[in-house]
Amino acid sequence: MSEASAPHAADRRELTAAQRNAVAELLRVSPVADELGRRFVRAGHELHLVGGSVRDALLGRLGDDLDFCTDAHPDETLRIIKGWAESIWETGREFGTIGAQRDGLRLEITTFRAESYDQVTRNPVVVYGTSLDEDLKRRDFTINAMAVSLPEHRFTDPHGGLADLSAKVIRTPSTPGESFGDDPLRMLRAARFAAQLRFAVHPDVHVAMTEMAADLDRITAERIRDEFTKLLCGADPITGLRLLVDTGLAERFLPELTGLKLEIDEHAQHKDVYEHTLTVVENAVSYEEEGCDFILRMAALLHDVGKPATKAVGSDGRVSFHHHEVVGARLTKARMKAMRYPKEVTAKVTALVALHLRFYGYGRGEWTDSAVRRYVADAGDLLPRLHKLTRSDCTTRNRRKAAQLAADYDALEDRIARIAAEEDLARVRPDLDGNAIMELLGVPPGPVVGRAWKHLKEQRLEHGPLDRDAAEAELLRWARAEGLIS
């Protein structure tokens, strides 16, 4: 060993010892794990804290969910924890997992696995293993293939996960090709961990992700959706998104994102719409007040997906994307439906995409109070998110222009607040309800009431609140014009 490399090696040994001590200390102050370990040992079985729990303990962020593995089969695990656990659930029993709760901690105890895959649907075929080493070898990444045996706190790291954790590298225990061949979803998980932990994937992993991207087609939309959601909600979603595009994985389930690389921005301020979009996502994250707002992040990611289909070049050479928000909303709805997102989530993201351009033009002084009311009414409970999305969409490098856009939006928010103080903008309703409409017109429930209600709402948006007499007069005027009364 050279003199130059010796200090580095010493530092690595010190770091390893410090991190091992951190695991022991975290377990010491969490006696539930040791209690559980002693119960398994008394029953003649092993118990090990594994996977993300060990990784997070080493990172100093161990939470309330603990993962364990054991040589005990589910029936034996149930016998060991019965009378000790405060509650028990068996929803994961077919995969060898028994869940339990104790002292506010959620515990999942899984029998050693040596699972194989059917190589068609890539669904796991659970086969119980016989050793900890066998179990760790089948895990997705080395940083998730470490264990702490209980109750003695013996640390096991057969694949160099601790070194990879220190180096912030995502690597597989076996070759990447073997690991991804077992379960192609692991390619998406690699991008997800890159986003969550701010880690880089090992070059060999990157190559395998690129070469095997098409294998992701065998994975169900629901599993892809869940991993992608976690990626987008990561601490650094941009790193994960770039990895999806660069390896070709995005093309398999979110081709609209890759398609943005082909289009230049109409203001020619960015390399392409793809780079602009990543900046908007980054900006949106900075506006979050607490935790991940998936709806805001997804709207930021998809807000310009309609541009490729609406690109036009004028006679003066300028590029435009007229009505791309309308096309984008349609594409967003279709893509999120294909990814099996819930209807209510899809509806909110789609609405934000459709509304994201509405603000532009406000600075020209053309908006009346009526236009402001419609802006608020159309956004509904999405208004706070629409504020954030619109501000995030300002990515111009022109400082004067950026300052003007910010000032314009400040003015709009102030104007909304002023009008809201005078009117109930949060609940824009007609000044007469359905019962009043039926009583005044002498009609039963039906389409006429709906039409009248819609007309009065339009009047409310256009002119603001009407008193009772004015509202009734307007309703009667409308009914005469419609031939409903004489």
Side-chain angles (χ1 to χ4, degrees):
M1 181 182 295
S2 68
E3 293 182 3
S5 63
H8 177 78
D11 290 344
R12 177 57 57 83
R13 285 196 298 271
E14 290 172 6
L15 180 62
T16 299
Q19 289 181 318
R20 289 183 181 180
N21 289 337
V23 173
E25 177 63 15
L26 284 164
L27 290 173
R28 183 186 66 77
V29 299
S30 182
V32 169
D34 285 346
E35 287 179 21
L36 187 60
R38 284 191 287 270
R39 293 182 72 89
F40 273 80
V41 170
R42 284 197 298 268
H45 292 289
E46 304 173 23
L47 186 73
H48 313 274
L49 186 72
V50 290
S53 293
V54 176
R55 180 198 70 227
D56 289 343
L58 288 165
L59 292 172
R61 45 186 260 183
L62 183 62
D64 295 333
D65 295 332
L66 303 180
D67 295 324
F68 302 88
C69 68
T70 179
D71 59 338
H73 286 199
D75 286 343
E76 297 168 282
T77 294
L78 285 169
R79 284 195 291 269
I80 292 170
I81 65 175
K82 188 176 181 180
W84 176 83
E86 295 163 358
S87 61
I88 297 173
W89 55 92
E90 302 180 46
T91 51
R93 185 189 180 105
E94 65 176 308
F95 298 107
T97 300
I98 300 297
Q101 183 164 322
R102 172 85 177 194
D103 292 350
L105 297 175
R106 289 174 56 87
L107 320 171
E108 289 201 342
I109 308 161
T110 303
T111 304
F112 288 155
R113 298 266 282 273
E115 65 188 19
S116 60
Y117 291 75
D118 63 16
Q119 302 299 315
V120 178
T121 65
R122 304 298 186 182
N123 290 323
V125 179
V126 176
V127 178
Y128 292 145
T130 58
S131 70
L132 175 62
D133 284 346
E134 187 178 21
D135 183 272
L136 295 179
K137 184 178 181 180
R138 56 153 287 277
R139 292 181 178 267
D140 52 6
F141 305 110
T142 60
I143 58 174
N144 297 329
M146 298 177 282
V148 176
S149 302
L150 302 169
E152 67 270 29
H153 297 175
R154 185 181 71 255
F155 183 76
T156 301
D157 179 22
H159 304 289
L162 188 59
D164 288 340
L165 197 67
S166 299
K168 298 185 177 181
V169 172
I170 297 170
R171 191 168 56 85
T172 55
S174 57
T175 67
E178 291 173 327
S179 181
F180 299 154
D182 278 347
D183 185 0
L185 188 67
R186 289 175 174 175
M187 295 185 286
L188 190 52
R189 283 171 63 83
R192 189 250 287 188
F193 281 121
Q196 286 185 329
L197 301 176
R198 300 180 186 274
F199 281 18
V201 299
H202 189 277
D204 291 346
V205 172
H206 194 287
V207 169
M209 291 168 68
T210 304
E211 293 178 347
M212 302 177 67
D215 285 6
L216 194 65
D217 295 350
R218 299 189 179 100
I219 302 299
T220 64
E222 290 80 4
R223 293 182 73 200
I224 291 174
R225 174 201 64 205
D226 291 347
E227 285 296 331
F228 177 74
T229 300
K230 293 174 184 176
L231 182 158
L232 193 59
C233 279
D236 180 18
I238 306 306
T239 292
L241 292 170
R242 286 192 185 280
L243 193 54
L244 293 180
V245 172
D246 292 347
T247 58
L249 285 167
E251 189 67 29
R252 314 313 304 184
F253 69 95
L254 191 59
E256 292 83 0
L257 178 59
T258 303
L260 294 178
K261 297 192 73 170
L262 304 177
E263 306 300 328
I264 61 170
D265 184 83
E266 68 265 40
H267 303 299
Q269 295 296 316
H270 305 279
K271 179 180 179 181
D272 50 34
V273 177
Y274 170 71
E275 291 295 335
H276 163 74
T277 295
L278 295 183
T279 301
V280 174
V281 173
E282 192 171 33
N283 290 345
V285 172
S286 72
Y287 281 114
E288 291 174 342
E289 297 166 6
E290 184 177 349
C292 170
D293 185 343
F294 171 76
I295 290 171
L296 175 61
R297 293 191 187 195
M298 193 66 165
L301 182 67
L302 300 178
H303 78 286
D304 273 349
V305 294
K307 283 189 171 180
T310 57
K311 178 183 177 181
V313 181
S315 58
D316 59 356
R318 289 181 61 83
V319 178
S320 64
F321 303 96
H322 294 307
H323 305 301
H324 74 266
E325 75 280 12
V326 177
V327 175
R330 185 174 71 248
L331 293 174
T332 294
K333 182 178 181 180
R335 178 53 56 196
M336 293 189 69
K337 180 180 179 181
M339 293 179 71
R340 304 291 194 271
Y341 278 102
K343 289 182 179 179
E344 60 273 18
V345 174
T346 298
K348 290 179 178 179
V349 175
T350 300
L352 286 171
V353 172
L355 290 169
H356 84 274
L357 277 186
R358 182 78 69 85
F359 161 73
Y360 294 95
Y362 177 81
R364 294 194 295 266
E366 299 170 355
W367 281 32
T368 62
D369 283 356
S370 172
V372 175
R373 292 189 197 99
R374 292 177 187 279
Y375 186 76
V376 173
D378 289 346
D381 61 3
L382 292 174
L383 184 62
R385 287 189 175 106
L386 182 57
H387 287 332
K388 295 173 183 177
L389 177 60
T390 302
R391 289 184 181 276
S392 298
D393 196 23
C394 176
T395 61
T396 177
R397 297 170 187 171
N398 184 315
R399 292 185 179 181
R400 184 191 60 77
K401 185 175 181 180
Q404 184 60 57
L405 285 170
D408 288 346
Y409 210 82
D410 287 343
L412 175 59
E413 289 197 28
D414 289 344
R415 191 171 176 187
I416 289 172
R418 175 183 60 77
I419 297 176
E422 300 169 356
E423 309 170 16
D424 188 6
L425 281 186
R427 298 177 64 241
V428 175
R429 298 281 191 276
D431 296 287
L432 299 176
D433 62 17
N435 289 328
I437 292 170
M438 288 187 287
E439 181 180 352
L440 191 60
L441 297 184
V443 297
V448 170
V449 179
R451 287 163 51 204
W453 190 93
K454 183 176 180 180
H455 172 75
L456 289 176
K457 181 178 179 180
E458 286 296 316
Q459 293 300 307
R460 172 74 168 76
L461 289 170
E462 187 67 29
H463 303 293
L466 302 176
D467 61 32
R468 181 77 182 199
D469 289 343
E472 289 183 353
E474 176 58 33
L475 176 61
L476 293 173
R477 186 202 64 76
W478 173 84
R480 292 190 188 95
E482 292 289 313
L484 299 174
I485 61 176
S486 58

Coordinates of all heavy atoms in Angstrom, one line a residue, residues 7 15 35 72 79 85 122 147 193-194 230 277 282 293 390 432 443 461:
P7 N -3.8 6.8 4.2 CA -4.7 7.6 5.0 C -6.2 7.4 4.5 O -7.1 7.3 5.4 CB -4.3 9.1 4.7 CG -2.9 9.0 4.3 CD -2.8 7.7 3.6
L15 N -14.6 5.2 9.3 CA -16.0 5.4 9.0 C -16.8 4.1 9.2 O -17.9 4.2 9.7 CB -16.0 5.8 7.5 CG -17.4 6.1 6.9 CD1 -18.1 7.3 7.7 CD2 -17.3 6.4 5.4
E35 N -35.8 -7.5 22.0 CA -36.7 -8.4 22.6 C -37.2 -9.5 21.6 O -37.3 -10.7 22.0 CB -38.0 -7.6 23.1 CG -37.7 -6.7 24.3 CD -39.0 -6.0 24.7 OE1 -40.1 -6.4 24.3 OE2 -38.9 -4.9 25.4
A72 N -37.3 -19.0 10.4 CA -38.6 -19.6 10.8 C -39.6 -19.4 9.7 O -39.6 -18.3 9.1 CB -39.1 -18.9 12.1
R79 N -46.4 -18.3 16.0 CA -46.3 -18.9 17.4 C -45.4 -18.1 18.3 O -45.6 -17.8 19.4 CB -45.9 -20.3 17.3 CG -46.9 -21.3 16.8 CD -46.5 -22.7 17.1 NE -45.4 -23.2 16.3 CZ -45.5 -23.7 15.2 NH1 -46.7 -23.9 14.6 NH2 -44.5 -24.1 14.5
A85 N -46.8 -9.5 20.5 CA -47.2 -8.4 19.6 C -48.6 -7.9 20.0 O -49.5 -8.6 20.4 CB -47.2 -8.9 18.1
R122 N -42.5 -12.2 -15.0 CA -41.6 -11.7 -14.0 C -42.2 -11.6 -12.6 O -41.6 -10.9 -11.8 CB -41.0 -10.3 -14.4 CG -40.4 -10.3 -15.8 CD -39.2 -11.2 -15.9 NE -38.5 -11.1 -17.2 CZ -37.5 -11.8 -17.5 NH1 -37.0 -12.7 -16.7 NH2 -36.9 -11.6 -18.7
A147 N -27.2 -6.9 7.0 CA -28.0 -7.4 8.1 C -27.3 -7.1 9.4 O -26.1 -7.1 9.5 CB -28.3 -8.8 7.9
F193 N -34.0 5.0 -6.1 CA -33.0 5.2 -5.0 C -32.1 6.3 -5.3 O -31.6 7.1 -4.4 CB -32.3 3.9 -4.7 CG -33.0 2.9 -3.9 CD1 -33.3 1.6 -4.4 CD2 -33.5 3.3 -2.7 CE1 -34.0 0.7 -3.6 CE2 -34.3 2.4 -1.9 CZ -34.5 1.1 -2.4
A194 N -31.7 6.5 -6.6 CA -30.9 7.6 -7.0 C -31.6 8.9 -6.6 O -30.9 9.9 -6.2 CB -30.6 7.6 -8.5
K230 N -42.7 7.1 -6.1 CA -41.7 7.2 -5.1 C -40.5 8.0 -5.7 O -39.8 8.8 -5.0 CB -41.2 5.9 -4.6 CG -42.3 5.1 -3.8 CD -41.8 3.7 -3.5 CE -42.9 2.9 -2.8 NZ -42.5 1.5 -2.5
T277 N -38.6 21.7 -18.6 CA -39.5 20.9 -17.7 C -38.8 20.5 -16.4 O -39.4 20.6 -15.3 CB -40.0 19.7 -18.5 OG1 -40.8 20.1 -19.6 CG2 -40.8 18.8 -17.6
E282 N -38.0 21.2 -10.5 CA -37.1 21.6 -9.5 C -37.7 22.8 -8.7 O -37.7 22.9 -7.5 CB -35.7 21.9 -10.0 CG -34.6 22.1 -9.0 CD -33.3 22.2 -9.6 OE1 -33.2 22.7 -10.8 OE2 -32.3 21.7 -9.0
D293 N -45.6 17.0 -2.6 CA -46.9 17.3 -3.2 C -46.9 16.6 -4.5 O -46.5 17.2 -5.5 CB -47.2 18.8 -3.3 CG -48.6 19.1 -3.8 OD1 -49.2 18.2 -4.4 OD2 -49.0 20.2 -3.6
T390 N -47.6 28.0 -11.7 CA -47.4 29.2 -12.6 C -46.0 29.9 -12.3 O -45.3 30.2 -13.2 CB -48.5 30.2 -12.5 OG1 -49.7 29.5 -12.8 CG2 -48.4 31.3 -13.4
L432 N -79.1 32.5 -6.2 CA -80.3 31.7 -5.9 C -80.0 30.2 -6.0 O -79.3 29.8 -6.9 CB -81.5 32.1 -6.8 CG -81.9 33.5 -6.9 CD1 -83.0 33.7 -7.9 CD2 -82.5 34.0 -5.5
V443 N -91.4 25.4 -11.4 CA -91.0 24.2 -12.2 C -90.5 23.1 -11.3 O -90.0 23.4 -10.2 CB -89.9 24.5 -13.2 CG1 -90.4 25.5 -14.3 CG2 -88.7 25.1 -12.6
L461 N -70.2 35.3 -11.9 CA -68.8 35.4 -12.3 C -68.6 36.7 -13.0 O -67.6 37.4 -12.8 CB -68.4 34.2 -13.2 CG -68.3 32.9 -12.5 CD1 -68.2 31.8 -13.6 CD2 -67.1 32.8 -11.6

